[in-house]
Amino acid sequence: MIQIFGTNKSFDCKAAQRFFKERRIPFQFVDLKEKEMSAGEFDSVVTALARTEGGRDAALDAMIDKKAKDYASIAYLDDSEKEAKLFENQAALLKQPVCRNGKTEATVGMCQKTWEGWK
């Protein structure tokens, strides 16, 4: 099943939900303000993105919302510290929506071309 992680206020999260609804693809929406990703979920998203982005550091960089008001808190950290900071502040720092298809595929942001291949 497809999971969409994000917040109810995000227009992109609403657009992602609409995309899957219109195609009658079942999904689960998880509001990051109420319940953040578990360590296992977060790791599987990073690992899946690392396959397409070219490594774990590139995947983490792709996951960070550079327009977030809290971006300064993560911008100048070492790569080794970014993952922990991102995990601790998911609702504030993650680029949304984070969509996960099982444990092997994930996207960050609006990726409709990729989603079209998901069932």
Side-chain angles (χ1 to χ4, degrees):
M1 174 183 270
I2 292 168
Q3 289 180 304
I4 302 172
F5 295 94
T7 58
N8 282 321
K9 289 185 176 182
S10 166
F11 290 112
D12 285 346
C13 289
K14 289 176 185 172
Q17 291 178 60
R18 191 170 44 254
F19 176 89
F20 290 114
K21 259 185 209 154
E22 287 171 354
R23 287 155 183 80
R24 293 189 174 91
I25 299 171
F27 66 90
Q28 173 191 23
F29 178 72
V30 180
D31 189 343
L32 291 173
K33 289 197 181 289
E34 293 174 17
K35 182 178 186 266
E36 293 189 329
M37 282 186 246
S38 70
E41 288 170 328
F42 186 82
D43 188 59
S44 78
V45 168
V46 175
T47 303
L49 283 171
R51 284 189 209 109
T52 57
E53 295 290 329
R56 201 163 178 94
D57 290 340
L60 287 168
D61 204 45
M63 292 173 72
I64 298 169
D65 182 358
K66 292 169 179 58
K67 295 182 188 121
K69 65 179 184 204
D70 294 343
Y71 176 65
S73 68
I74 197 169
Y76 303 105
L77 294 178
D78 285 349
D79 287 340
S80 60
E81 298 168 338
K82 281 183 182 176
E83 187 167 352
K85 184 74 170 176
L86 195 55
F87 180 71
E88 290 167 16
N89 301 292
Q90 293 175 32
L93 292 172
L94 274 178
K95 186 186 289 183
Q96 297 176 21
V98 175
C99 297
R100 186 170 89 135
N101 185 11
K103 293 189 176 183
T104 57
E105 296 178 290
T107 62
V108 179
M110 293 299 291
C111 299
Q112 293 177 345
K113 290 268 186 251
T114 304
W115 300 339
E116 286 171 3
W118 292 4
K119 302 252 179 313

